Amino acid sequence: NVMDFGAVGDGVTNDAAAIQAAVDAANAMGGGTVEFPDGKTFMYTSAIAMKQGVNVVGRGYGSVLAPTACSAFTFGFTTGFGNSVIDNLRIEASTGTSQIGIYQAGTLNNADELYGITISNCLIRGFNIAIKFRTVRNVSILNNWVQDCNSAIHLVGQCLVINIFGNKMVYASGSGSGTQYAIYTDSFNYTSGTGIVRPETVCVQRNVIYGYTNGIAFTGVVFGTSRDNDIQATGIGISFSTASAPITIDSNYIQIAGASATIGINGVAQASALDTGVVIINNHINAVSTTAGTSIGIKLGDVSNGNQDNVRMENNSFFGFTLYDIAFYKSGHITVRGNSCYSTGVTASIFSTVLAANRPSY
């Protein structure tokens, strides 16, 4: 219990040293759990450095952590099994607009890899980014509520086998700056000669995403899955770009809303043909109050470049779009089958530019 190490929990006293002492003591024992009692607010001004084999656990939203101008927790140790759980805490940032709530610190590389981290049942509020990892494996982010953060989850570089399940991510007023993403994944090109590495096997399932400019961005991912999510975005619902293995977008409810909203699902244009094997099936995609003649349900490529090849769009339904329900530009090996195109104000329900030679679509 952090109180045994001198924590006060009155919301005024700086409890950083006491909390860190409890974490260090649990680590020295070979691993253990640090408990935060109910009905206390623990203010601190330097991030708590997580240690291998240590869990930090509260008693629900009554166990309040109030990091002030700092991250809540950092994972700075490297190369090994983290075996760490952060659970049942209310993490409320004070002056956190430039801070990351739970953060894997250090220089990006693909050697300092952590295994086995779970973040669950927490309220995380008021940070620029709620959770950010760079080199991890076997991470679960489960049943959290992210509120008023500019972005919720960032995965950059070698992040392997990531399960993002059952979270509620609400932008609302937001904190900080930069492009808004609920979930953002991106590759990283290591300068040490190991080349580009990407997040791999990222499963995003049964989450509620509301109010972000961008819902889910699979920007450089291998085996990305978005399934059974409820997404409302003010710009783009789900986007994908470079990948070297299939992406599956299945059974989501995707709504784009407002004058700045443009695309339900966007396959970003590529400079050269990219056979990704993307599957877009069984989604309900709609637009509300979008600008006349601008919004598109599913869009692959653009007027300058296409090259989003080998994409299958089946059994999706579309409502409320103002330009096209489905549009693909300069892309080939496209399958469009069994969709319900119910938008009444579109220029055309299904639109295609001239196809490239030897890249037929069906």
Side-chain angles (χ1 to χ4, degrees), residues 85-166:
V85 173
I86 299 173
D87 181 60
N88 253 343
L89 291 164
R90 177 177 171 181
I91 305 171
E92 292 259 14
S94 177
T95 61
T97 55
S98 62
Q99 304 296 327
I100 300 170
I102 299 170
Y103 180 43
Q104 187 181 11
T107 304
L108 276 167
N109 61 67
N110 62 341
D112 299 336
E113 189 173 54
L114 298 182
Y115 291 60
I117 297 170
T118 296
I119 302 168
S120 56
N121 305 307
C122 292
L123 167 60
I124 305 172
R125 186 175 184 184
F127 295 95
N128 190 46
I129 302 171
I131 300 168
K132 184 174 182 179
F133 287 112
R134 59 178 177 84
T135 314
V136 290
R137 187 189 300 256
N138 296 336
V139 171
S140 294
I141 302 172
L142 310 172
N143 302 320
N144 300 286
W145 174 13
V146 177
Q147 177 81 29
D148 300 333
C149 294
N150 193 63
S151 290
I153 300 169
H154 280 201
L155 305 172
V156 180
Q158 187 165 287
C159 298
L160 311 179
V161 190
I162 312 297
N163 183 24
I164 302 171
F165 182 92

Side-chain angles (χ1 to χ4, degrees), residues 185-201:
T185 70
D186 199 7
S187 59
F188 188 83
N189 190 356
Y190 295 102
T191 57
S192 60
T194 52
I196 295 174
V197 295
R198 300 178 172 90
E200 181 173 342
T201 312

Side-chain angles (χ1 to χ4, degrees), residues 1-3 7-16 18-20 22-23 34-50 55-74 85-96 100-102 119-127:
N1 192 307
V2 292
M3 309 296 284
V8 178
D10 61 0
V12 177
T13 303
N14 188 351
D15 286 322
I19 298 169
Q20 190 64 60
V23 170
V34 174
E35 295 183 348
F36 293 83
D38 193 8
K40 296 286 186 179
T41 297
F42 299 91
M43 189 277 290
Y44 54 94
T45 58
S46 56
I48 305 305
M50 291 294 289
N55 308 314
V56 291
V57 176
R59 298 295 181 87
Y61 292 169
S63 300
V64 183
L65 304 187
T68 301
C70 64
S71 296
F73 298 101
T74 60
V85 173
I86 299 173
D87 181 60
N88 253 343
L89 291 164
R90 177 177 171 181
I91 305 171
E92 292 259 14
S94 177
T95 61
I100 300 170
I102 299 170
I119 302 168
S120 56
N121 305 307
C122 292
L123 167 60
I124 305 172
R125 186 175 184 184
F127 295 95

Side-chain angles (χ1 to χ4, degrees), residues 11-351:
V12 177
T13 303
N14 188 351
D15 286 322
I19 298 169
Q20 190 64 60
V23 170
D24 293 347
N27 173 252
M29 295 168 54
T33 297
V34 174
E35 295 183 348
F36 293 83
D38 193 8
K40 296 286 186 179
T41 297
F42 299 91
M43 189 277 290
Y44 54 94
T45 58
S46 56
I48 305 305
M50 291 294 289
K51 299 295 179 68
Q52 189 165 341
V54 176
N55 308 314
V56 291
V57 176
R59 298 295 181 87
Y61 292 169
S63 300
V64 183
L65 304 187
T68 301
C70 64
S71 296
F73 298 101
T74 60
F75 288 85
F77 62 96
T78 57
T79 314
F81 285 87
N83 294 340
S84 293
V85 173
I86 299 173
D87 181 60
N88 253 343
L89 291 164
R90 177 177 171 181
I91 305 171
E92 292 259 14
S94 177
T95 61
T97 55
S98 62
Q99 304 296 327
I100 300 170
I102 299 170
Y103 180 43
Q104 187 181 11
T107 304
L108 276 167
N109 61 67
N110 62 341
D112 299 336
E113 189 173 54
L114 298 182
Y115 291 60
I117 297 170
T118 296
I119 302 168
S120 56
N121 305 307
C122 292
L123 167 60
I124 305 172
R125 186 175 184 184
F127 295 95
N128 190 46
I129 302 171
I131 300 168
K132 184 174 182 179
F133 287 112
R134 59 178 177 84
T135 314
V136 290
R137 187 189 300 256
N138 296 336
V139 171
S140 294
I141 302 172
L142 310 172
N143 302 320
N144 300 286
W145 174 13
V146 177
Q147 177 81 29
D148 300 333
C149 294
N150 193 63
S151 290
I153 300 169
H154 280 201
L155 305 172
V156 180
Q158 187 165 287
C159 298
L160 311 179
V161 190
I162 312 297
N163 183 24
I164 302 171
F165 182 92
N167 302 281
K168 179 167 65 173
M169 293 163 263
V170 181
Y171 175 75
S173 60
S175 293
S177 59
T179 306
Q180 300 166 22
Y181 295 96
I183 298 171
Y184 174 74
T185 70
D186 199 7
S187 59
F188 188 83
N189 190 356
Y190 295 102
T191 57
S192 60
T194 52
I196 295 174
V197 295
R198 300 178 172 90
E200 181 173 342
T201 312
V202 178
C203 183
V204 182
Q205 188 168 0
R206 295 193 178 182
N207 301 279
V208 176
I209 294 169
Y210 182 83
Y212 288 90
T213 303
N214 300 279
I216 299 170
F218 284 134
T219 306
V221 70
V222 180
F223 292 109
T225 299
S226 172
R227 181 174 287 122
D228 296 326
N229 299 290
D230 185 345
I231 301 169
Q232 193 265 18
T234 61
I236 298 173
I238 298 176
S239 64
F240 57 89
S241 54
T242 57
S244 57
I247 292 172
T248 300
I249 301 171
D250 178 15
S251 301
N252 301 279
Y253 176 84
I254 302 168
Q255 180 184 90
I256 60 170
S260 299
T262 54
I263 306 168
I265 298 175
N266 184 35
V268 179
Q270 303 298 305
S272 57
L274 184 70
D275 271 332
T276 55
V278 176
V279 176
I280 305 172
I281 57 172
N282 305 320
N283 301 282
H284 178 88
I285 310 168
N286 70 37
V288 176
S289 301
T290 58
T291 302
T294 61
S295 60
I296 300 173
I298 298 175
K299 180 185 177 187
L300 307 178
D302 58 34
V303 294
S304 299
N305 274 315
N307 296 317
Q308 279 288 358
D309 284 17
N310 193 17
V311 177
R312 179 159 60 93
M313 297 173 279
E314 296 186 2
N315 302 325
N316 303 285
S317 59
F318 302 86
F319 289 85
F321 290 96
T322 61
L323 185 55
Y324 308 119
D325 285 333
I326 297 171
F328 49 102
Y329 298 79
K330 302 178 182 178
S331 298
H333 302 148
I334 306 297
T335 300
V336 182
R337 181 168 61 188
N339 299 282
S340 299
C341 299
Y342 293 129
S343 299
T344 57
V346 293
T347 302
S349 292
I350 300 172
F351 169 83

